[in-house]
Amino acid sequence: MEGSFTGGDEYQKHFLPRDYLATFYSFDSGPVPEAEMLKFNLECLHKTFGPGGLQGDTLIDIGSGPTIYQVLAACESFKDITLSDFTDRNREELEKWLKKEPGAYDWTPAVRFACELEGNSDRWWEKEEKLRAVVKRVLKCDANLGNPLAPVVLPPADCVLTLLAMECACCSLDAYRAALRNLASLLKPGGHLVTVVTLRLKSYMVGKRQFSCVPLEKEEVEQAVLDAGFDIEQLLHSPRSYTVQGREMEEKETSSVVSGPFMRKAKATAEGF
């Protein structure tokens, strides 16, 4: 499996952010299952970071891709957010939105929905400005490294967030388990991990390109979280399916976990295509 796995070089050369966004994040105009999954993610994130939820000073998002929706809720409860991704194109896409450059992706529908969950649907532009102010840096990351942000070293964070990225970055279950330990090293004592993971998915399409995933079972995710030193506080698990280029993909399961290593706490969400 490892020999045919699409690793970092393939992502750097062939992963096109706009193809990815058009397929999975069109919201109003895209396929219904994709829009429903995005809404589901936003609802879970609102419950995680909304009133009575996680809060702190610093949050690191590992494997942001070209998306910002995953920190729309967290920007209300954290003062300093780091976005990160392996590929240059994805980081450029993030910077383009943050700097309001021409041609930046329009996240307005997702921002409006996030604000609707918070009861402020008419003030979505304030949410965008709040997020732009709270995101302090966009860095290169590799979850397979002992320090996923190397060569940059940041102070231990209150929260590490990673959505739909770990199963794409890791070529095997052992690599996934090691990557979770790497993420744990970014947290301060008492910090949280929040993660969304696709279950049982072997690959996915972006445009005409196929990218590999390590197929994970819910029990494997839970055990990997525990073995990384976390205590599971919450687990959400739900079947979901996507359509890609008009074809129904095999239904997969999704799970959300809250856990913590030793004195840390963490929330992990496992989702499926």
Side-chain angles (χ1 to χ4, degrees):
M1 176 182 171
E2 293 185 49
S4 60
F5 194 87
T6 49
D9 289 344
E10 286 83 357
Y11 271 88
Q12 180 72 354
K13 292 176 183 177
H14 302 302
F15 189 92
L16 301 179
R18 285 306 174 105
D19 285 352
Y20 176 73
L21 293 170
T23 300
F24 296 103
Y25 296 100
S26 294
F27 207 83
D28 290 334
S29 58
V32 172
E34 279 72 11
E36 290 305 310
M37 180 61 81
L38 177 53
K39 290 179 181 178
F40 174 77
N41 286 339
L42 288 169
E43 289 167 354
C44 288
L45 292 164
H46 172 68
K47 292 175 183 176
T48 299
F49 295 110
L54 302 185
Q55 57 182 329
D57 291 324
T58 56
L59 179 147
I60 301 171
D61 181 31
I62 296 292
S64 306
T67 70
I68 55 89
Y69 77 95
Q70 67 274 14
V71 286
L72 287 172
C75 76
E76 302 294 340
S77 49
F78 288 85
K79 302 173 184 177
D80 181 307
I81 292 178
T82 299
L83 300 180
S84 67
D85 197 76
F86 183 84
T87 78
D88 297 340
R89 288 191 187 96
N90 282 344
R91 296 195 305 275
E92 290 166 3
E93 193 71 40
L94 292 172
E95 293 280 12
K96 188 179 294 186
W97 185 86
L98 290 168
K99 296 176 181 178
K100 299 184 182 179
E101 293 180 1
Y105 192 73
D106 182 11
W107 285 101
T108 302
V111 177
R112 284 182 180 272
F113 185 80
C115 290
E116 183 178 319
L117 294 173
E118 297 172 3
N120 296 308
S121 58
D122 294 334
R123 307 181 72 174
W124 57 269
W125 65 91
E126 294 181 9
K127 166 75 78 174
E128 290 191 344
E129 293 310 306
K130 178 69 174 290
L131 179 54
R132 289 186 172 101
V134 172
V135 173
K136 304 300 183 181
R137 63 199 66 83
V138 178
L139 302 177
K140 183 179 178 65
C141 73
D142 185 346
N144 295 294
L145 300 178
N147 171 16
L149 299 175
V152 176
V153 177
L154 294 181
D158 295 297
C159 182
V160 168
L161 174 68
T162 180
L163 273 72
L164 303 173
M166 299 291 282
E167 63 275 31
C168 305
C170 303
C171 66
S172 66
L173 176 58
D174 286 343
Y176 173 72
R177 292 162 61 87
L180 279 184
R181 295 193 293 270
N182 296 338
L183 296 194
S185 72
L186 298 174
L187 286 166
K188 64 173 62 173
H192 285 77
L193 169 69
V194 180
T195 180
V196 177
V197 181
T198 306
L199 300 177
R200 300 179 181 173
L201 185 67
K202 296 181 179 180
S203 65
Y204 67 104
M205 299 295 295
V206 175
K208 296 181 180 181
R209 287 278 177 177
Q210 187 176 41
F211 293 89
S212 307
C213 295
V214 56
L216 297 169
E217 297 289 343
K218 179 172 70 72
E219 294 77 14
E220 291 174 331
V221 172
E222 292 181 66
Q223 191 60 53
V225 168
L226 292 170
D227 290 346
F230 291 92
D231 296 315
I232 296 176
E233 295 182 353
Q234 179 183 338
L235 170 65
L236 302 178
H237 182 242
S238 174
R240 283 292 188 272
S241 62
Y242 280 103
T243 56
V244 177
Q245 296 175 343
R247 293 178 296 176
E248 187 77 12
M249 297 182 72
E250 182 182 354
E251 185 173 273
K252 302 299 178 184
E253 295 178 341
T254 70
S255 304
S256 170
V257 184
V258 182
S259 55
F262 306 117
M263 293 187 64
R264 300 186 184 103
K265 301 178 181 179
K267 295 197 173 187
T269 306
E271 299 201 344
F273 285 79

